[in-house]
Each structure stands twice: as C-alpha cells, then as structure tokens.
Amino acid sequence: MSNKPIPVELPSNLSEDEVQNLAHGLGLTIPDTDLKDVSARFTALMSELNKIRSLDLSQIAPTPIFPYEKGECK
Amino acid sequence: MTAQDLILENIATLAPLIQHKEISPVALTEAYLARIEKLNSRFNAYITILAETAMAEARKAETEIMRGEYRGKLHGIPMGIKDQFLTKGIRTTFGSTIFGDQIPSEDATVVSRLKAAGIIMLGKHNLAEFALGGTRKHPYGTPRNPWDPERIPGHSSSGSGVAVAASMCTAAIGEDTGGSGRIPAAMCGIVAIRPTYGRVTRYGAAPASWSMDAASPMTKSVEDCAIVLGIIAGYDPKDPLSNKTPVPNYTKNLKEGIRGIKIGVIKELIPPNWAHSDIRDAFERNIKIFEKLGASVSQVSIPLINLTAPIFVAICDTDAAYVHYDNIRNRTMDYDEASRTRLMSASLVSAGIYTMAQQARNVFRNQMLASLKEVDVLLSPMSYTLPIKISDEVVAFETKEDVISRQYGARSFTTPYSLSCLPAISIPSGFTNEGMPIGLQIGGRQFDEETVFKVAYAFETETEWHRQRPSI
C-alpha cells in the first residue's frame, strides 16, 4: 500500500467546463447560473484537501464511528 | 413578577415557581404567544406558531400540576423545536419548500421525550434549508439577529437561537452537525451544547451527516442546558447508533466548582493576531476568570485542527449529497441556491477522496483524545469574526479563494468536536464594542458532558453576560 492516500495531486484547478463534464458523468446538470459557485466550492475543497496528502494514512482505518469503551478517556 | 417579566427568565428559575403553583403555565404561555405575535414578523424565528395547541397543552399542564401530578423541571415550560424534527400532525418543512406540505405521522424521539416531560410546544423554529447553513433566500423568511437585525444569527439552528435570545420561548431544541447549534448560540448570546455522538437519538431528525448529526439543547443558561439534555439523552431502539451508556444526572455535580480542573487552550486556534481584537481581548479575560476559579490553564497542541474544515466538508457534504441524491437531480431548482451549489459540489467527491477524509478524521481524533489525556477540557473561542451582515452572506462564490476565506477558517472552531464525536458547549463570554455577543467553547471527553457543564457553569456564575437581553 502507498503511504500516501492519494498518490496524485487532487484537481484543484478544474475549469468550469471540466466541472460540468464531471457532473454530467454522475447524472447531474449544473445550471449555468450555478456553475461558477459549484466550481469554486469544488476546487476549494480539492485545494484544501491536498494539504492532508502528506499524512501517512496507510495503517488508518476509515472508521467514522468510534465505539465507546468504558473507562476510555474518562 | 408578572408573566411578562417571567418570559425573560430561564427554566431553572421558572420550574420551581410552576411546581409550587406560584405561576400558571397558561399565563406564561399566553405571554410568550403575545411576544411571538409581536416580534416574529421582524425576526422570523418561527415557521409555524402553534397558538391553539400550545394553549391546550398549557391548560393540561396546569390541571395536572394543580392535582399534584408534577412531572419534573420541564413540566409547563414553553419551548420551541427546530423544524428539522418531525412533529406528529404538525407541518414539518425542514426549512424547504420541497417539504412545505409534510405532515408527519409520528414525532421524532427527541420531541416525544420532551412531550412526556410535559413541555408546551410553542411552535417550529426557522432554520437554514435542510439544516445545511448559508441559505441565501429562506423560504419562510430570513432569521435576523435580535442584537442587530441586519446581521445573521448563525446557522443552521438560526430560528432557535433567535427565539431563545429574544425570549420567544424559554428554551429550544436545535441540531448541531458541524456547529449548527453552537454557532447561533454564540452569535445570539445564549448557551448550546453539542453532546457526544450517540448520546442523543437522531430518529426523526432530517439528516445531514449520519456520523455527526446531534440534537442540541439551546437555552438561556448552562443549568437549563443540563436539564434539557438530561431529558432527551439516552438510548433509543429506533436509532441503532444511539448509545446505551447510562445517562447521569447532569445537574447533580454542576455547582461543585472547578478547583484543580485542568483546562487546555488549543494553541493552533490562537495564532498571533488570530481574531477581531474584541474577541481576542474577551478570550484573554475569560482565561483569567478560569484561573481565578482555581482551574489551571495551559496550552495544548492539536496540529491537524486547522485542516478540520476541508475534512469536515469532504465527509459531511458528501453524506448530505447522498441524502439528497434524488431531489438534487430531479427537483434541482426547488433548492435554495446555496444548498443547491453546496450539494452539487459535494456530489462530485469521489469514494477515494471521501475515504481519505475519513482516515484523516481518525488521525485528527487521536490528536484530540491525546490532548484530553493531558487536560480535563479544551477551551477555544467560538469564532474569530463577528456575525456578518445578511447582505454579505447572500453573495455567491466567485473563486476557490473566496470559498476558503469565507467558509473554511470559521469551521476550524466547531467541526473538531463534530469530527471526533466529542461534546462541546458554547456559552456567552462577552460583547464586542458594537454590542454583539461573543461565545466561548468548552469541549470535553467522550460522554463526559458532566465536566463540560461543570466548567461552563462555574464560568457563568462569575459573569453576567448570560443575563443580558437584546433591547427589542
């Protein structure tokens, strides 16, 4: 397994056309009036998430819920 | 005191007066309904006002109490419920026109527990559409901050924050996925807790993120918050992720003081010149109050905390995009512009990115737990900025830099507890020179709301900010 979770940089500079094409592939059509806003949100997220690519996540389970064990941190 | 004076009071003050038949739930409810009638068109705190059923419930409560059948501290207390929670036979919109005609056939479990405790439901509170936050055109009117109606009251439990601060109810049930209870509390000058994930059932609440959604008591004081959480907390077979850990009596040790308690200030959230100077000054004064009370205050490091905003967005928004999978495709234009663009953006996040965010969440949570081995509670401001003007919030995003600047920094304060499933409370901690409330956040260990309440209560008893009411 790679030490880096995503080996390539996330797409933080997609054009509005590329964002629309990505959406079409997922069964979505972004209204023209929303395209700039959606593109800004998506590329902002990718840009910020690129900062966590340096973390070593190779041994980390993607568990969203954390069972409470009696006595843990009490 | 008259009923008009009493509506400014909190549950802890009203409950013994109701119990000892010194005030009438009927008179109290009439006074609240009159205030709602007077103020709601200006502040848009309520979507649905339940005048008739509230009066019927008040008469029933009064009859029971007169017969000596007092149920407890919420009996006869008029409350409001965020319109994110299902209410049997009462329209529940989720703040959206898509559910504008929804009449549920059952109550959310939180609502049924409050009813069993004897509350009087005054109505359903306004909210950001689908509790997503940032709504640009509220279908049921724009909630306005009672301290300055030109400013936002915070999202998404906006109506609940407004209603409590403006004394249009004694207390409210909001919801807090990424700060939706704590942020309006801070901006409106009231108290709200986000409990440990699983402490309170999610059944019957419109979901945003299944692994972070949590009902949030919103009140005028810390003691009230402890009282309400004590009623709604506990395992619910209808929510398999609610927890079976026994619910303690949250008011039992509330007043025992905090001498010897170790408080950790999260140093990454207070870099040089980290906030508006009024907020910075207030925070420094707040620390001195804790020290005066006998707590020891030190700095702790949580290195990943400034990256919690993108981790949160990658998880929460993607969860929400799945919740809205059909409607965002088939009823696209029935969404508010902000909800629509947020959900569409999140719909583009791949499984790999979502999984990476969940892994990063685990690393971050371990950092939070490690810091909570050094100290009993964590301390931070609720935000580094003042509530913005409503006219500034309705502007669409132009660039990614715009999104990062307007959204990501602010989320670093509240989302850490959401991601790590830990409890955190927001309490009033001062005012800016412009007269806007400032909030202070105290976070704690898993299922250790008792300590969080105790620390918050000790601070509150040394200050007067929670007693201030907006001039409206």
Side-chain angles (χ1 to χ4, degrees), chain A residues 12 26 34 61 66 73, chain B residues 136 329 340 359 362 400 445:
Chain A
S12 58
L26 295 163
D34 292 344
F66 313 100
C73 222
Chain B
R136 291 177 191 151
R329 284 164 174 77
R340 190 169 67 233
Q359 289 175 302
N362 261 351
K400 66 182 178 187
R445 298 167 181 157

Side-chain angles (χ1 to χ4, degrees), chain B residues 377-449:
Chain B
V377 293
L378 296 169
L379 191 70
S380 76
M382 273 296 299
S383 171
Y384 62 85
T385 58
L386 307 182
I388 60 173
K389 300 264 186 183
I390 290 167
S391 55
D392 291 335
E393 190 178 54
V394 298
V395 179
F397 293 116
E398 293 278 330
T399 63
K400 66 182 178 187
E401 291 78 14
D402 189 19
V403 177
I404 292 166
S405 143
R406 283 165 59 188
Q407 288 218 314
Y408 281 64
R411 284 180 159 154
S412 298
F413 291 88
T414 54
T415 57
Y417 298 96
S418 308
L419 288 168
S420 47
C421 298
L422 300 174
I425 195 168
S426 174
I427 57 174
S429 65
F431 282 84
T432 68
N433 289 329
E434 296 176 51
M436 296 303 295
I438 297 172
L440 180 70
Q441 184 170 233
I442 302 163
R445 298 167 181 157
Q446 200 172 16
F447 292 102
D448 193 14
E449 285 83 359

Side-chain angles (χ1 to χ4, degrees), chain A residues 1 4-6 10-14 16 18-31 33-70 72-74, chain B residues 136 197 210-211 241 243 245 304 306-307 310-311 313-314 325 328-329 332-333 337-342 344-345 347-349 352-353 355-363 365-366 369 372-373 395-401 403-404 407-408 419-421 445-448 450:
Chain A
M1 275 174 83
K4 289 188 177 179
I6 302 282
L10 300 176
S12 58
N13 287 307
L14 291 182
E16 290 178 15
E18 288 171 320
V19 169
Q20 184 67 281
N21 286 339
L22 186 56
H24 282 159
L26 295 163
L28 276 165
T29 299
I30 303 170
T33 50
D34 292 344
L35 190 53
K36 189 183 287 284
D37 193 312
V38 174
S39 299
R41 287 178 188 269
F42 185 69
T43 53
L45 179 60
M46 295 302 108
S47 177
E48 290 296 281
L49 285 176
N50 271 324
K51 295 176 183 171
I52 64 173
R53 289 182 54 244
S54 60
L55 297 174
D56 179 0
L57 302 176
S58 56
Q59 302 300 316
I60 307 295
T63 314
I65 298 294
F66 313 100
Y68 174 59
E69 294 171 22
K70 194 173 180 185
E72 181 190 44
C73 222
K74 289 279 275 184
Chain B
R136 291 177 191 151
Y197 180 84
W210 66 272
S211 66
L241 294 174
N243 200 281
T245 303
L304 272 180
N306 283 323
L307 288 176
I311 297 170
V313 172
Y325 190 93
I328 199 64
R329 284 164 174 77
T332 310
M333 300 313 288
E337 179 187 275
S339 313
R340 190 169 67 233
T341 55
R342 181 174 174 179
M344 284 196 157
S345 167
S347 299
L348 310 180
V349 172
I353 292 170
T355 302
M356 177 183 72
Q358 292 284 19
Q359 289 175 302
R361 176 187 190 174
N362 261 351
V363 175
R365 181 175 188 264
N366 287 335
L369 294 185
L372 284 164
K373 284 182 178 163
V395 179
F397 293 116
E398 293 278 330
T399 63
K400 66 182 178 187
E401 291 78 14
V403 177
I404 292 166
Q407 288 218 314
Y408 281 64
L419 288 168
S420 47
C421 298
R445 298 167 181 157
Q446 200 172 16
F447 292 102
D448 193 14
E450 281 175 289

Side-chain angles (χ1 to χ4, degrees), chain B residues 131-449:
Chain B
L132 291 172
T135 303
R136 291 177 191 151
K137 190 172 181 187
H138 288 78
Y140 305 99
T142 302
R144 294 181 177 274
N145 195 311
W147 295 93
D148 178 353
E150 297 305 311
R151 293 183 187 271
I152 63 166
H155 302 303
S156 67
S157 306
S158 42
S160 302
V162 174
V164 175
S167 296
M168 296 160 80
C169 61
T170 315
I173 291 296
E175 194 276 338
D176 188 318
T177 300
S180 284
R182 288 165 288 159
I183 291 169
M187 291 186 176
C188 294
I190 63 167
V191 177
I193 190 166
R194 172 201 163 75
T196 305
Y197 180 84
R199 178 77 288 179
V200 178
T201 168
R202 297 165 300 136
Y203 185 78
S209 174
W210 66 272
S211 66
M212 288 185 264
D213 293 343
S216 174
M218 300 176 73
T219 59
K220 291 179 175 173
S221 69
V222 173
E223 186 171 3
D224 283 12
C225 208
I227 291 168
V228 176
L229 183 61
I231 297 296
I232 65 172
Y235 175 70
D236 175 13
K238 292 177 178 176
D239 177 0
L241 294 174
S242 63
N243 200 281
K244 291 183 177 174
T245 303
V247 179
N249 178 348
Y250 291 120
T251 57
K252 187 178 173 190
N253 301 320
L254 198 61
K255 302 173 183 177
E256 66 181 22
I258 58 168
R259 187 158 297 282
I261 288 275
K262 289 187 270 186
I263 296 176
V265 174
I266 304 170
K267 73 174 186 184
E268 285 80 5
L269 292 181
I270 52 165
N273 300 318
W274 54 276
H276 186 287
S277 59
D278 292 356
I279 296 173
R280 233 169 36 221
D281 293 347
F283 189 63
E284 285 165 12
R285 284 195 300 273
N286 297 160
I287 288 173
K288 288 190 174 66
I289 292 170
F290 285 115
E291 289 172 335
K292 181 186 161 197
L293 288 164
S296 66
V297 182
S298 60
Q299 289 200 351
V300 295
S301 176
I302 304 174
L304 272 180
I305 204 160
N306 283 323
L307 288 176
T308 52
I311 297 170
F312 174 83
V313 172
I315 297 168
C316 173
D317 290 20
T318 308
D319 286 343
Y322 178 66
V323 170
H324 293 269
Y325 190 93
D326 288 335
N327 280 336
I328 199 64
R329 284 164 174 77
N330 300 317
R331 300 191 64 173
T332 310
M333 300 313 288
D334 290 335
Y335 283 83
D336 169 71
E337 179 187 275
S339 313
R340 190 169 67 233
T341 55
R342 181 174 174 179
L343 292 169
M344 284 196 157
S345 167
S347 299
L348 310 180
V349 172
S350 71
I353 292 170
Y354 181 83
T355 302
M356 177 183 72
Q358 292 284 19
Q359 289 175 302
R361 176 187 190 174
N362 261 351
V363 175
F364 168 69
R365 181 175 188 264
N366 287 335
Q367 291 182 359
M368 290 284 278
L369 294 185
S371 72
L372 284 164
K373 284 182 178 163
E374 295 174 35
V375 295
D376 298 301
V377 293
L378 296 169
L379 191 70
S380 76
M382 273 296 299
S383 171
Y384 62 85
T385 58
L386 307 182
I388 60 173
K389 300 264 186 183
I390 290 167
S391 55
D392 291 335
E393 190 178 54
V394 298
V395 179
F397 293 116
E398 293 278 330
T399 63
K400 66 182 178 187
E401 291 78 14
D402 189 19
V403 177
I404 292 166
S405 143
R406 283 165 59 188
Q407 288 218 314
Y408 281 64
R411 284 180 159 154
S412 298
F413 291 88
T414 54
T415 57
Y417 298 96
S418 308
L419 288 168
S420 47
C421 298
L422 300 174
I425 195 168
S426 174
I427 57 174
S429 65
F431 282 84
T432 68
N433 289 329
E434 296 176 51
M436 296 303 295
I438 297 172
L440 180 70
Q441 184 170 233
I442 302 163
R445 298 167 181 157
Q446 200 172 16
F447 292 102
D448 193 14
E449 285 83 359

